[in-house]
Amino acid sequence: MQIPDYRPLLKNLRALSNETAADRIIHRYSLEAEDWYMVQFLIPHISWNKSSRMRLARYYLSHIPFADGRMFTLFLRIMPLREFLQALQPYLESQKEDRHAMELTRYYLKRVLAQINPDTLCEKDRKQRDTFLAREATVFGCSNASPCDPKNA
């Protein structure tokens, strides 16, 4: 798959307000669009304000579960951990009935969260990450030492 040159679009998006740029990205790369994956090349290269970050995260994270952890990594690159978890929480809550989807989501989410360099997290964020993972483990009956691996399901 050839990735189109996104630099001209990125230049145009940077010239817009955050709200307008977020509108354009969501409209052009909707979850139904065949090339919605392009957001992973655009979103990290713009300085977003908090409301636009949350809007983009809530829109794109509503598509969980993902086949890998890229979308989680994408949003963790542009927003603080507590903001990311706040954006993700409603979708985790709404997916609780689908155990397989939640196990898949938790599997990739745990891997992404574990890859965060602890030196880049303040003590509060470290505790929040650990609390989040422990709470999710309790929900699914998994231990933190032994995550629910969807490959074993």
Side-chain angles (χ1 to χ4, degrees), residues 9 25-31 33 35-36 38-39 42 60:
L9 177 58
I25 288 175
I26 289 171
H27 178 74
R28 171 61 185 86
Y29 299 104
S30 72
L31 293 170
D35 60 349
W36 79 272
M38 286 296 296
V39 299
L42 299 171
Y60 287 106

Side-chain angles (χ1 to χ4, degrees), residues 43 56-57 60-61 71-79 84:
I43 291 174
L56 288 164
Y60 287 106
L61 292 175
M71 289 305 283
F72 300 139
T73 301
L74 165 73
F75 285 104
L76 280 168
R77 286 176 62 195
I78 67 163
M79 61 194 335
F84 170 77

Side-chain angles (χ1 to χ4, degrees), residues 54-73:
M54 288 299 283
R55 185 164 166 235
L56 288 164
R58 286 186 174 132
Y59 179 74
Y60 287 106
L61 292 175
S62 71
H63 193 60
I64 62 173
F66 300 111
D68 58 35
R70 281 186 224 154
M71 289 305 283
F72 300 139
T73 301

Side-chain angles (χ1 to χ4, degrees), residues 141-153:
C142 310
S143 73
N144 275 342
S146 174
C148 289
D149 188 338
K151 295 175 195 167
N152 298 333

Side-chain angles (χ1 to χ4, degrees), residues 3-141:
I3 298 171
D5 185 7
Y6 57 89
R7 290 176 294 190
L9 177 58
L10 192 56
K11 183 178 180 182
N12 290 338
L13 289 170
R14 285 181 177 149
L16 302 171
S17 71
N18 270 197
E19 292 75 21
T20 305
D23 284 342
R24 293 245 174 112
I25 288 175
I26 289 171
H27 178 74
R28 171 61 185 86
Y29 299 104
S30 72
L31 293 170
E32 294 79 30
E34 191 173 301
D35 60 349
W36 79 272
Y37 65 88
M38 286 296 296
V39 299
Q40 68 184 313
F41 303 108
L42 299 171
I43 291 174
H45 297 286
I46 297 173
S47 247
W48 298 101
N49 61 30
K50 182 177 180 175
S51 64
S52 295
R53 282 192 309 255
M54 288 299 283
R55 185 164 166 235
L56 288 164
R58 286 186 174 132
Y59 179 74
Y60 287 106
L61 292 175
S62 71
H63 193 60
I64 62 173
F66 300 111
D68 58 35
R70 281 186 224 154
M71 289 305 283
F72 300 139
T73 301
L74 165 73
F75 285 104
L76 280 168
R77 286 176 62 195
I78 67 163
M79 61 194 335
L81 177 64
R82 65 187 144 285
E83 226 177 87
F84 170 77
L85 294 176
Q86 181 183 11
L88 184 62
Q89 195 60 44
Y91 306 108
L92 295 177
E93 296 295 327
S94 69
Q95 299 280 327
K96 282 187 178 177
E97 298 302 315
D98 187 348
R99 184 176 172 91
H100 182 72
M102 289 309 300
E103 286 175 354
L104 185 64
T105 298
R106 185 177 182 282
Y107 175 77
Y108 288 116
L109 184 56
K110 181 174 179 169
R111 292 181 71 171
V112 168
L113 292 176
Q115 290 174 355
I116 298 174
N117 181 347
D119 295 336
T120 64
L121 295 175
C122 65
E123 186 62 30
K124 184 178 179 179
D125 282 349
R126 232 186 327 266
K127 285 180 181 176
Q128 187 172 14
R129 178 188 65 179
D130 295 344
T131 301
F132 176 84
L133 290 172
R135 183 173 40 113
E136 292 304 312
T138 304
V139 169
F140 299 114

